[in-house]
Amino acid sequence: MAHRWYVLTTPALMQPALQAQWAAHIAVSEEQHEGQIAVYVERELPAHYISADRTARDRAVGLFGKLGVWDTEYNNGVLIYLLEAEHAIEIVADRGVRTCTQEADWTAIAQQLAQLLQAGQTSQGMLLAVDSVGALLAAHFPRATDNTADAPRALDNEVPDFPVL
């Protein structure tokens, strides 16, 4: 019931006009690395998640699979998930990314995003989160700069850049 009340009484944090701006920012970030970044913003958990007592983390992990973020060639996809009704931020990184990063990296990004969202700086927060995720991906999955046989090839965009609201 709390989720429904939140949706009925609170204006949407994320506006559709921001989608194109964020998509362009994700695309620029992905020019610097072989990773894939996806963004999903949801006002409330679906009813079947609430009735099953599932969490925002459960939802983020489910969407990570449903959106195909897990299915990149180098296992280097990252989903940034926001659940407005609970003010929850979840960052789900694929196994290739988790092997070379620390949980503290993701916690710091989520905390920074939360602070900016609380300050009403929605777009700045998301752009900074994308930049921070992109910096981690660039450190561990840099974009190939040559075409030698030893260099990984530049991949097509494996996960759509357009955020889902």
Side-chain angles (χ1 to χ4, degrees), residues 49 55-65 79 81 90-92:
Y49 269 79
T55 65
R57 181 70 181 180
D58 295 331
R59 178 68 171 159
V61 169
L63 288 168
F64 182 79
L79 172 66
Y81 172 79
E90 298 290 340
I91 301 176
V92 183

Side-chain angles (χ1 to χ4, degrees), residues 13-24 122-124 126-127 162-163 165:
L13 181 65
M14 305 298 171
Q15 298 298 320
L18 296 176
Q19 283 178 304
Q21 179 187 15
W22 294 352
T122 301
S123 191
Q124 297 91 329
M126 183 55 67
L127 297 178
F162 212 73
L165 301 182

Side-chain angles (χ1 to χ4, degrees), residues 65-125:
K66 183 177 180 179
L67 298 171
V69 182
W70 66 274
D71 194 24
T72 62
E73 184 168 338
Y74 300 125
N75 300 314
N76 57 4
V78 177
L79 172 66
I80 303 171
Y81 172 79
L82 283 81
L83 176 60
E84 289 186 46
E86 293 181 8
H87 306 282
I89 299 166
E90 298 290 340
I91 301 176
V92 183
D94 204 351
R95 59 196 172 277
V97 178
R98 287 193 316 261
T99 62
C100 53
T101 59
Q102 303 294 317
E103 189 60 35
D105 297 326
W106 308 112
T107 301
I109 294 168
Q111 288 174 343
Q112 190 172 41
L113 175 55
Q115 290 172 350
L116 289 168
L117 292 175
Q118 288 172 348
Q121 298 175 337
T122 301
S123 191
Q124 297 91 329

